[in-house]
Amino acid sequence: GMLVPALLFAALNFGGDGARGWGVPMATDIAFALGALGMVGKRIPAELRVFLLALAVVDDLGVILVIALFYTGSISMAALVWAAVVLACILLLLSVGVRSGGAFAVLGFFFWVAILDSGIHATLAGVVLGLLVPSRHPYEETTALALGRDLLDRLKSAVARADHDDVAATLGALEEVVVGTESPLERMERKVHPWTAFAVLPLFALVNAGIPLSREGIAAALTSPVLRGIVLGLVVGKVTGVVGGAWLAVRLKVASLPEGVGWGQVAGVGLLAGVGFTVCLFVNELAFTDPTLTGHAKVGILLASLLS
């Protein structure tokens, strides 16, 4: 789903001014794709929604790695050494069971600064830190339920005795159990998601999607190989790559289709993967310095996302 769009774009722009933009049609916009899928409601299997979410997440991580490796200038080895030192500190804290959000926020900030100063695009720091957030929770739901009942009984007894010390201790233990049923990754996603979905993402799209909508400009964009490469990559390349990759995985018995999911539905997900709005705009700004090419690419991204 990433490789086929890049190859189609490269084939149409090989040797031309827009050749550097092969990374633009690689990305899937998670929020918009899931929003479009959500319009279908509960008429689709839950496994299909999970498939699209997993595809979009891995897709975006892959694009960020492409940004770091191919759309980055000179590299500072000293800054990379500092980044490695900070990363080692983070791994050490994780290995000894530290779960303090404040400690990781401070170290994460310095890691981001070091990556930024190294010349590698700082989005790579986000990938690394995101992968390191613990995803396991100390208490399973059944264990938490049993502990919670015992603690509530103990709390009721302590309140009846007016034993304020026991009340405080019991409430602290109850809080630990409640917090322990949610992993740091789940907690962070729950707290951050509304801000990213309803503030950061729309603001990013609004700031980066400015397109001069003159008749001449649109006419020129429609004849541009950059636009054709992006539209072909996102609309045709995504669905071809996603369905082809899934079919190959099933044929090689690496995976199997979930019950109730057909190839037509997989193709539908492949089409939605062609909605590459925000991340494609981001890569576009890095790939092109010519305002004309940037404008043609923006029209192509919007057109392809709409078609998908």
Side-chain angles (χ1 to χ4, degrees):
M2 296 174 65
L3 184 61
V4 176
L7 289 174
L8 288 174
F9 182 94
L12 282 178
N13 289 272
F14 183 75
D17 294 336
R20 183 172 161 77
W22 55 269
V24 175
M26 295 179 74
T28 294
D29 193 302
I30 300 175
F32 282 106
L34 286 176
L37 191 64
M39 293 170 64
V40 183
K42 297 182 178 180
R43 289 174 290 173
I44 61 168
E47 292 86 353
L48 208 63
R49 197 181 307 275
V50 174
F51 175 56
L52 176 60
L53 179 60
L55 183 152
V57 170
V58 175
D59 187 292
D60 278 358
L61 291 176
V63 171
I64 290 170
L65 289 175
V66 166
I67 291 171
L69 295 174
F70 297 100
Y71 294 107
T72 293
S74 58
I75 303 297
S76 169
M77 294 306 299
L80 282 180
V81 170
W82 278 112
V85 170
V86 176
L87 184 61
C89 293
I90 294 173
L91 292 172
L92 179 62
L93 291 181
L94 287 172
S95 67
V96 298
V98 174
R99 292 293 183 268
S100 169
F104 289 114
V106 172
L107 288 172
F109 172 75
F110 283 113
F111 179 70
W112 175 81
V113 170
I115 292 293
L116 179 66
D117 195 48
S118 72
I120 296 176
H121 204 279
T123 46
L124 183 61
V127 175
V128 175
L129 293 173
L131 291 173
L132 291 178
V133 178
S135 59
R136 295 183 179 181
H137 40 76
Y139 299 108
E140 296 295 334
E141 286 82 356
T142 52
T143 305
L145 183 61
L147 290 172
R149 284 171 175 166
D150 292 341
L151 288 169
L152 286 173
D153 290 339
R154 175 180 160 185
L155 179 64
K156 184 178 180 180
S157 174
V159 170
R161 300 192 316 270
D163 188 340
H164 299 297
D165 290 339
D166 196 18
V167 168
T170 305
L171 286 173
L174 193 59
E175 180 185 18
E176 182 182 342
V177 172
V178 172
V179 171
T181 58
E182 188 178 37
S183 71
L185 180 64
E186 293 168 333
R187 189 176 304 111
M188 183 180 293
E189 183 180 0
R190 175 173 56 81
K191 290 183 176 180
V192 172
H193 179 264
W195 293 97
T196 57
F198 301 114
V200 177
L201 185 68
L203 184 61
F204 177 87
L206 182 66
V207 170
N208 286 277
I211 300 173
L213 294 177
S214 66
R215 181 179 299 178
E216 295 79 9
I218 293 177
L222 291 175
T223 61
S224 168
V226 170
L227 179 142
R228 292 200 299 269
I230 290 172
V231 172
L232 186 65
L234 286 174
V235 179
V236 178
K238 278 291 181 183
V239 66
T240 303
V242 169
V243 176
W247 179 84
L248 191 61
V250 170
R251 289 286 293 178
L252 295 176
K253 298 184 178 179
V254 176
S256 59
L257 284 180
E259 186 177 351
V261 174
W263 286 109
Q265 292 171 316
V266 175
V269 169
L271 280 170
L272 284 180
V275 181
F277 190 57
T278 51
V279 183
C280 289
L281 288 172
F282 182 42
V283 180
N284 176 37
E285 296 294 332
L286 298 173
F288 299 122
T289 55
D290 185 344
T292 302
L293 294 179
T294 301
H296 292 173
K298 286 181 177 180
V299 175
I301 292 166
L302 289 175
L303 178 59
S305 297
L306 180 62
L307 289 172
S308 292

